Amino acid sequence: MHLAYPAVLAVLLFCTGLYGALARRNAILVLMSVELMLNAVNLNLVAFDVWLRDALHSGQALTLFTIAIAAAEIGIGLAIVLAVYRNRGSSDIDRLRDTAETDEAETVPAGDDERDAEVPEDQATAPAGKAKKAEATP
C-alpha cells in the first residue's frame, strides 16, 4: 500500500473540517467539522501504522483511544449545544455572548420617560430576567 493515498485523503478531510470549523456559524456543524478533523488524524495514524509495520500496532491502539475520546467529546458538546439552544433559542455561535452583555443591552435607559410609562411599577425595578418571567405567568 502506498502511503501517499491515505495521506492525501487525510489532508483533504482535515482541510475540509478546518474550513467547516472556521466558516460555519451553527454550533452543531462546527462539532461535525471537528469530528471530521479527528477522523483525518485517525486515518493518518492507521496508515502510518500499516506502513511502518509496527509489531505493537501502536497507531491503531492510539486510534481506538482517539475514537473513544471523540465519542465522549461529541456527547458533551451536543449536551452543551442543546442546553444553550433551550436557553437562548439559537445555536448560532455569533449570538452566544456573555449574559452580562445581553442584560445590559436589554435594560431601560434612565432618561426615557416613554418606556418607563409602558412598564408597570412592580416590574420597573425588577431585573430584566425577572420581568420576563412575571409577564409569562398568568
Side-chain angles (χ1 to χ4, degrees):
M1 177 175 90
H2 293 278
L3 183 62
Y5 298 130
V8 168
L9 180 62
V11 166
L12 291 175
L13 284 174
F14 192 85
C15 289
T16 304
L18 185 65
Y19 173 75
L22 294 177
R24 301 292 180 194
R25 302 205 187 280
N26 190 347
I28 294 176
L29 292 178
V30 170
L31 285 174
M32 289 174 59
S33 298
V34 169
E35 290 298 318
L36 196 62
M37 290 189 294
L38 284 173
N39 285 331
V41 171
N42 289 340
L43 179 62
N44 260 340
L45 285 171
V46 171
F48 275 101
D49 183 52
V50 170
W51 183 64
L52 292 174
R53 292 180 172 79
D54 185 18
L56 295 175
H57 297 293
S58 56
Q60 293 179 18
L62 189 57
T63 299
L64 287 176
F65 285 116
T66 307
I67 290 171
I69 290 171
E73 175 257 332
I74 198 69
I76 292 171
L78 282 176
I80 291 171
V81 168
L82 286 175
V84 167
Y85 182 77
R86 286 181 186 163
N87 287 336
R88 304 278 175 102
S90 173
S91 63
D92 189 6
I93 294 176
D94 290 338
R95 292 184 183 176
L96 301 180
R97 301 274 186 229
D98 191 13
T99 56
E101 292 178 13
T102 57
D103 288 342
E104 290 175 7
E106 293 176 0
T107 58
V108 177
D112 196 1
D113 294 333
E114 295 173 355
R115 285 186 141 187
D116 290 338
E118 294 174 0
V119 178
E121 291 181 27
D122 60 335
Q123 294 178 4
T125 58
K130 291 182 181 178
K132 290 179 183 177
K133 289 179 185 175
E135 291 174 359
T137 55

